[in-house]
Amino acid sequence: MYQHDIGKRSAKVKNVVERGAVKKFAEAIGDPNPIYWDEETGKRSRYGRNIAPPTFPRVFDYGVIEGLKLPSKGLIHGEQHFHYERPLFVGEELYCYAEVKDYYEKQSSMGLLGFLIIANNGEDPDGNLVFTSTSTIIINEAVRKAMSV
């Protein structure tokens, strides 16, 4: 179903790790660690500045992968993994893009399930990879049928 999309990427999109957004995100996930929002704590940390929570890249814009058609509802979020080369620093600019990494299908008791693997990547302005977030999107039989109508 999506095998022909493997390897497709979006164009890079500039994102900023904004202080206010980091503070609101930390509050929303219930993480009170002052490393995310208190400037003095950031200065005294081993990083010398504030950092963002590990799941913060969920808020970034990764652009659009041309030709990748996903339904607006009915998809199942299977799992997500984050890998970091270093923390995200408050105030820095990152260039983010999405890439279709894989697609495979498995038969289950609920019918044929499709598994679409998307990697979201963030690079610094010099093109060095800072993080990768890999998501698995599950496409169940009902969604597959609705897509073929």
Side-chain angles (χ1 to χ4, degrees):
M1 185 172 206
Y2 288 101
Q3 287 89 350
H4 62 280
D5 292 311
I6 295 171
K8 288 184 179 178
R9 290 181 169 192
S10 66
K12 293 180 182 178
V13 178
K14 180 179 166 182
N15 288 264
V16 177
V17 183
E18 297 173 348
R19 180 173 300 283
V22 168
K23 183 176 182 182
K24 286 180 183 176
F25 187 87
E27 289 170 352
I29 64 172
D31 191 338
N33 192 328
I35 189 70
Y36 304 134
W37 54 270
D38 181 72
E39 290 185 57
E40 283 306 312
T41 299
K43 288 177 187 174
R44 290 191 313 269
S45 75
R46 65 181 167 161
Y47 309 111
R49 56 188 143 176
N50 296 107
I51 61 172
T55 55
F56 188 76
R58 295 276 300 145
V59 305
F60 291 148
D61 181 357
Y62 295 92
V64 175
I65 298 173
E66 292 296 324
L68 182 65
K69 305 271 191 256
L70 291 173
S72 59
K73 59 184 177 178
L75 298 175
I76 301 167
H77 179 77
E79 66 180 10
Q80 187 160 15
H81 298 276
F82 292 87
H83 173 78
Y84 284 89
E85 299 299 322
R86 63 162 175 79
L88 302 179
F89 300 123
V90 170
E92 79 174 316
E93 293 178 353
L94 295 171
Y95 293 84
C96 301
Y97 61 95
E99 179 181 6
V100 178
K101 297 301 276 185
D102 198 6
Y103 177 78
Y104 58 93
E105 298 174 336
K106 289 186 178 181
Q107 190 64 43
S108 78
S109 61
M110 298 184 304
L112 188 63
L113 298 177
F115 296 84
L116 182 63
I117 313 300
I118 305 283
N120 290 325
N121 304 291
E123 299 176 350
D124 68 17
D126 295 326
N128 299 307
L129 186 67
V130 176
F131 73 88
T132 298
S133 168
T134 305
S135 299
T136 302
I137 300 167
I138 302 171
I139 304 163
N140 66 23
E141 193 72 35
V143 172
R144 294 168 68 80
K145 285 179 184 174
M147 289 174 66
S148 63
V149 172

